[in-house]
Amino acid sequence: MLDNGLLLVPEKITFPQVTEDGLDYPGGSFIWQLRCCFTLLQENELIKHSAKFGCFSFQFEVEALRALGAYPVFYIPRPTGKDFEWSISSFGINLVHQIRDMVTLLRNLLDLQQMVQAVEDKNAMVRFHGDAPGKMTVGDLEMILGHLGAPSEGFQNLYDYGQALTNLFYHADSARQGNLGAAPDLNYYSQREWRVISGFVAHGKLADRELNGDEIQRLEELFPMLGAGIELPNGRNVSRAQISRLLIDSSNRPWWTRIRRIFVPDLAYGEVAQELKTRAIPEHLLEAVDYREILNFRAGK
C-alpha cells in the first residue's frame, strides 16, 4: 500500500436459500465482490478492533473516502424465529437473490442483443428451446430488444449498475458460510463498513486499474492468501492477486495525502518511521499503539 495505494481485493460471498428446514448454502446465491473495505470506528474502539483484525491501521476522514467513491454497506441479517417470523425475517436474503436474478436476466438480454447485432440477414430465424420453445426472425427480435433497451445506455448500463449494487451487500451476523454453527450475533454489523467498489467511471475513465505483472508477483509473494487459486464463474482458475485492482486517485495527489493518521504497534514505530522517510511521507502521520494492550485484549484480560 505504501508503494501503490489502495487495493481492491475479490471475495466470494454466499447468501443461503431460506427453506423450511433452515439455511441451504448450496441452493443459495453467491456474489463475487471486488472492493476495498473501511471500518467506521471511534478511537476508543481501536484496541479491540486491532486485537481481532490487525495492529496496523490507516485513518481517513469520511469525507476523504466519500471523495474516492466509498459507500456504506447494506447489511443483511440471518432469518430468526419460526413459521411467520422465519418468512418475514428472510426478506433481506431474498432481496439479494432477486437482485442476482435481475442481473442474470440483464446478462442474458445482453448476450441476445450481441448475437442479433452479429447477424446480417434480418430474415434469418432464431429458434428458442426450453420452457418456451418457438422461433422468431432476427429482425423481429431486434425490434423487441430495441424497445426493451430504450434507455440511452440500454441493457449494459442497467447490468453494470446491478453488478455494482451486489458489491454493497454483506452479512450482518453469523449467517456467513463457515459460521453456520455459530450463535446469532452482530459481529459483522459492528464493523460499520464502508466500501470503494470496482467499476466506477469518472469522465469516461475507470477509477481503478489492473495490476501489472510485477505488482501481481509481489502481492503473491507477500500475501499467501492473494496467491491462492480461485475459480471464477466462467471457469477460469486464477490467483486472487491476478484479479485484484488498484484504486486510481484522479486528483493526481500522492494517495497518502488523504490519510489523517497511521496507527502502528509501539514496537514497530521506528521501523515504520524509516519506511515512511524513504517515501517522503511525513512522520507526523504516525501514532504508536500500546502493543501490550492489544495482546491483553486478545487474551481476554
Side-chain angles (χ1 to χ4, degrees), residues 130-145:
D131 295 335
K135 59 183 179 180
M136 181 182 297
T137 67
V138 171
D140 288 342
L141 187 55
E142 186 175 46
M143 180 181 65
I144 294 172
L145 290 171

Side-chain angles (χ1 to χ4, degrees), residues 117-139:
Q117 291 172 347
V119 178
E120 295 183 4
D121 182 4
K122 302 307 178 184
N123 292 316
M125 301 299 295
V126 179
R127 295 186 179 275
F128 297 93
H129 305 280
D131 295 335
K135 59 183 179 180
M136 181 182 297
T137 67
V138 171

